[in-house]
């Protein structure tokens, strides 16, 4: 029998100074501990100890030259968390906040998220504390080459398949894939998120945002409601936010905010035209990491140094980074009458914000379920690469929608309480965990 407090105290002792990893683990362990204690096979197999320990962690030095000819040194990582269900799979993040603890939290989350997709993918994550902000194209190229020169030793199409994440989009995947091919002379699906002309899947760029909206659409339907006419706030302005605002618009909702590290945009007309969506892509490509110029261009408001959670909305979609929505923000949203929260970034809400939404019986879709569309289409990219053919956009989109509907159904089946409230956090954690744990039992130790 496991006791939650004892298990978590021990996990903290073994993983000092990794608060994000402990936060992610605590949420999962709390959800699943009764399921584990009710199943002697899980307890006897020490499943909790095994599932919270990464299979393997690589840390490496990344040396590169900046445009002044000065040598720069960053740290790169790949965390291979769990491969019970398939090759390690998960993105690469380039962001100054990246530490080993960050990537352990992300690799851990990824394991359960990938399990929820029903595709054969294990969980992993990688990245670097490299900050792309203000870097020239050539600096990004040199960094990516140097990063891949080391990373290629640990990955492979049947071993570990990285993709993008914060700070890593099609350009960076291209530079890394180019270096992989230079070194290995192989055309394989070793990375996903590739360009459409060189092995990528259609809909992959849109997939995380589209998937979150398909999931949200299932959430509202489960509550006898519709997306039509909903007022929506989105944070971030990157790839995930871009896909989210486009699909929200298509589903009849009106997105009124996006945000950056500099503040947020309030666009009461709605972020609902091709020109506005294209401008988001342009802003991101500039590498300045600011959203303010949108306000001048489209006559919207810019509120500096604040988050969009103070804006009254029906649905809120954190789409930027972990812990971007605090308890205080949660209270403001609830006081302003929010009806649904769909966490689209990984662990976008703080550890105290999540139980607050649940206590207030606000339907809350956790990141590992709501944002699984990105990695799901990565899984579909792997299938297409293995078959050496490519599906058209409609086919991929249809499969993505089906996967998100199934994830929603899995959350409901494991998370619906006797009072009818769907605890999506519990549902996603139990459904994601069971598949991985059962595979681990089947595979022995
Ligand atoms: N970085 C994305 C995630 O957090 C996608 C990972 C992938 O496509 O492998 O799920």
């Amino acid at each position: 029998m496991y006791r939650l407090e004892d298990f978590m105290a021990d996990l903290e002792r073994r993983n000092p100074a990794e608060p994000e990893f402990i936060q992610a683990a605590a949420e999962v362990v709390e959800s699943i501990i009764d399921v584990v204690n009710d199943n002697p096979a899980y307890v006897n197999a020490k499943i909790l100890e095994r599932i919270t320990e990464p299979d393997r962690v690589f840390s490496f030095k990344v040396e590169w030259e900046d445009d002044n000819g000065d040598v720069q040194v960053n740290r790169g990582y790949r965390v291979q968390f769990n491969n019970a269900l398939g090759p390690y799979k998960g993105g690469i993040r380039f962001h100054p906040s990246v530490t080993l603890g960050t990537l352990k939290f992300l690799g851990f989350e990824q394991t359960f998220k990938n399990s929820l997709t029903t595709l054969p993918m294990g969980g992993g994550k990688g990245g670097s504390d490299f900050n792309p902000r203000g870097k020239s194209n050539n600096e990004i190229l040199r960094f990516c080459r140097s990063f891949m020169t080391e990373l290629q030793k640990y990955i492979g199409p049947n071993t570990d398949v990285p993709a993008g994440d914060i700070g890593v989009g099609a350009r960076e995947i291209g530079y890394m894939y180019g270096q992989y091919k230079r070194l290995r002379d192989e055309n394989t699906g070793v990375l996903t998120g590739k360009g459409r002309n060189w092995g990528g899947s259609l809909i992959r760029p849109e997939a995380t945002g589209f998937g979150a909206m398909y999931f949200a659409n299932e959430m509202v339907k489960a509550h006898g409601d519709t997306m039509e006419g909903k007022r929506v706030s989105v944070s971030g302005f990157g790839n995930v936010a871009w896909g989210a605002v486009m699909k929200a618009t298509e589903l009849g909702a009106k997105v009124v905010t996006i945000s950056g590290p500099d503040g947020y945009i309030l666009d009461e007309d709605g972020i609902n035209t091709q020109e506005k969506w294209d401008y988001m892509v342009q802003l991101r490509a500039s590498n300045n990491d600011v959203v303010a110029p949108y306000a001048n261009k489209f006559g919207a408001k810019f509120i500096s140094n604040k988050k969009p959670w103070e804006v009254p909305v029906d649905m809120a979609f954190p789409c930027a980074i972990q812990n971007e929505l605090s308890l205080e923000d949660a209270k403001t949203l609830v006081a302003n009458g929010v009806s649904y929260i769909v966490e689209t970034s990984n662990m976008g809400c703080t550890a105290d914000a999540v139980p607050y939404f649940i206590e207030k019986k606000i339907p809350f879709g956790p990141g590992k379920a709501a944002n699984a569309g990105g990695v799901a289409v990565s899984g579909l990219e792997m299938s297409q690469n293995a078959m050496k053919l490519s599906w058209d956009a409609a086919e991929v989109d249809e499969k993505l929608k089906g996967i998100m509907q199934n994830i929603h159904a899995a959350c409901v089946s494991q998370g619906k309480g006797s009072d009818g409230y769907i605890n999506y956090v519990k549902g996603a954690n139990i459904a994601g965990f069971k598949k991985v744990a059962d595979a681990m039992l089947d595979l022995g130790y």
Side-chain angles (χ1 to χ4, degrees):
M1 282 285 279
Y2 287 104
R3 274 197 58 230
L4 181 63
E5 296 73 24
D6 297 344
F7 180 80
M8 285 312 303
D10 197 46
L11 194 70
E12 268 192 81
R13 186 187 55 73
R14 283 187 289 120
N15 298 277
E18 292 180 352
E20 294 164 331
F21 174 58
I22 296 301
Q23 181 185 341
E27 188 214 89
V28 170
V29 174
E30 198 186 322
S31 296
I32 62 172
I33 196 147
D34 289 342
V35 173
V36 172
N37 282 333
D38 285 346
N39 186 337
Y42 289 156
V43 177
N44 294 340
K46 291 230 163 40
I47 206 71
L48 284 191
E49 286 85 343
R50 288 167 58 199
I51 217 161
T52 49
E53 186 68 26
D55 291 352
R56 204 168 294 109
V57 168
F58 300 103
S59 165
F60 48 90
K61 182 171 64 171
V62 187
E63 300 167 332
W64 56 284
E65 190 185 300
D66 68 18
D67 287 346
N68 298 323
D70 291 331
V71 178
Q72 300 288 338
V73 184
N74 286 95
R75 193 174 293 166
Y77 304 93
R78 186 70 184 167
V79 176
Q80 297 182 335
F81 216 100
N82 187 302
N83 69 352
L85 298 180
Y88 302 105
K89 182 82 197 86
I92 291 175
R93 176 175 293 192
F94 292 164
H95 193 270
S97 67
V98 163
T99 62
L100 177 57
T102 314
L103 298 175
K104 279 173 68 180
F105 120 62
L106 289 163
F108 178 77
E109 287 281 294
Q110 197 82 44
T111 302
F112 303 102
K113 182 196 311 194
N114 294 2
S115 161
L116 286 169
T117 67
T118 68
L119 302 173
M121 301 182 289
K125 204 85 186 192
S128 173
D129 59 357
F130 173 74
N131 187 359
R133 180 191 283 180
K135 299 292 188 296
S136 72
N137 186 51
N138 279 333
E139 287 174 325
I140 304 263
L141 172 65
R142 287 194 293 272
F143 179 80
C144 287
R145 270 187 199 151
S146 190
F147 184 84
M148 182 51 90
T149 303
E150 182 68 22
L151 183 70
Q152 57 92 21
K153 297 173 188 169
Y154 317 117
I155 61 177
N158 296 309
T159 312
D160 182 355
V161 183
D165 194 80
I166 295 171
V168 177
R171 173 179 60 172
E172 291 74 18
I173 291 292
Y175 293 158
M176 286 193 270
Y177 191 55
Q179 181 70 347
Y180 184 88
K181 294 219 288 187
R182 229 165 270 126
L183 295 167
R184 304 278 289 258
D185 220 359
E186 291 170 2
N187 275 280
T188 62
V190 68
L191 296 178
T192 60
K194 300 187 289 300
R196 54 185 296 185
N197 296 330
W198 37 277
S201 175
L202 291 168
I203 305 294
R204 178 62 191 89
E206 297 87 349
T208 310
F210 277 22
M213 287 300 155
Y214 292 144
F215 189 86
N217 199 30
E218 293 302 304
M219 283 175 80
V220 296
K221 278 201 283 181
H223 294 84
D225 201 354
T226 160
M227 295 281 290
E228 195 67 48
K230 287 278 183 296
R231 189 175 149 91
V232 167
S233 57
V234 161
S235 64
F237 68 105
N239 170 261
V240 175
W242 168 77
V245 296
M246 291 193 295
K247 189 53 79 175
T249 307
E250 196 188 309
L251 293 172
K254 186 187 199 185
V255 181
V256 292
T257 72
I258 48 172
S259 72
D262 52 334
Y264 76 91
I265 296 290
L266 178 60
D267 185 347
E268 289 290 357
D269 294 337
I271 303 168
N272 50 13
T273 63
Q274 191 65 47
E275 197 191 351
K276 290 177 178 179
W277 303 332
D278 290 346
Y279 192 67
M280 286 174 74
V281 175
Q282 219 176 299
L283 271 180
R284 177 157 41 103
S286 75
N287 264 14
N288 292 329
D289 218 6
V290 291
V291 80
Y294 178 105
N296 279 341
K297 174 127 178 110
F298 296 108
K301 271 195 194 145
F302 173 66
I303 297 88
S304 95
N305 286 319
K306 289 209 143 175
K307 294 185 175 168
W309 315 129
E310 61 186 20
V311 177
V313 287
D314 304 309
M315 306 180 81
F317 290 77
C319 294
I321 198 164
Q322 68 269 17
N323 291 328
E324 56 172 312
L325 195 159
S326 66
L327 175 60
E328 203 184 317
D329 298 326
K331 287 182 175 165
T332 307
L333 279 163
V334 172
N336 285 335
V338 77
S339 303
Y340 305 90
I341 309 289
V342 186
E343 195 185 46
T344 310
S345 42
N346 289 309
M347 205 167 77
C349 298
T350 56
D352 48 4
V354 179
Y356 181 76
F357 288 127
I358 294 174
E359 181 196 312
K360 295 287 169 194
K361 304 279 181 204
I362 307 283
F364 173 85
K368 66 169 74 67
N371 76 24
V375 75
V377 174
S378 277
L380 301 177
E381 183 171 327
M382 289 165 72
S383 306
Q384 294 169 79
N385 291 162
M387 293 189 291
K388 305 207 185 303
L389 50 79
S390 55
W391 297 327
D392 62 26
E395 185 167 358
V396 179
D397 199 20
E398 208 41 48
K399 286 188 163 70
L400 168 63
K401 196 188 280 180
I403 289 170
M404 298 314 296
Q405 287 170 340
N406 288 339
I407 295 176
H408 182 271
C411 291
V412 175
S413 92
Q414 301 290 336
K416 195 167 187 165
S418 48
D419 61 352
Y421 176 72
I422 303 166
N423 184 333
Y424 287 92
V425 174
K426 194 171 154 205
N429 285 334
I430 293 177
F433 165 77
K434 273 187 169 168
K435 257 185 77 182
V436 180
D438 290 344
M440 288 170 73
L441 293 190
D442 290 346
L443 295 167
Y445 53 86

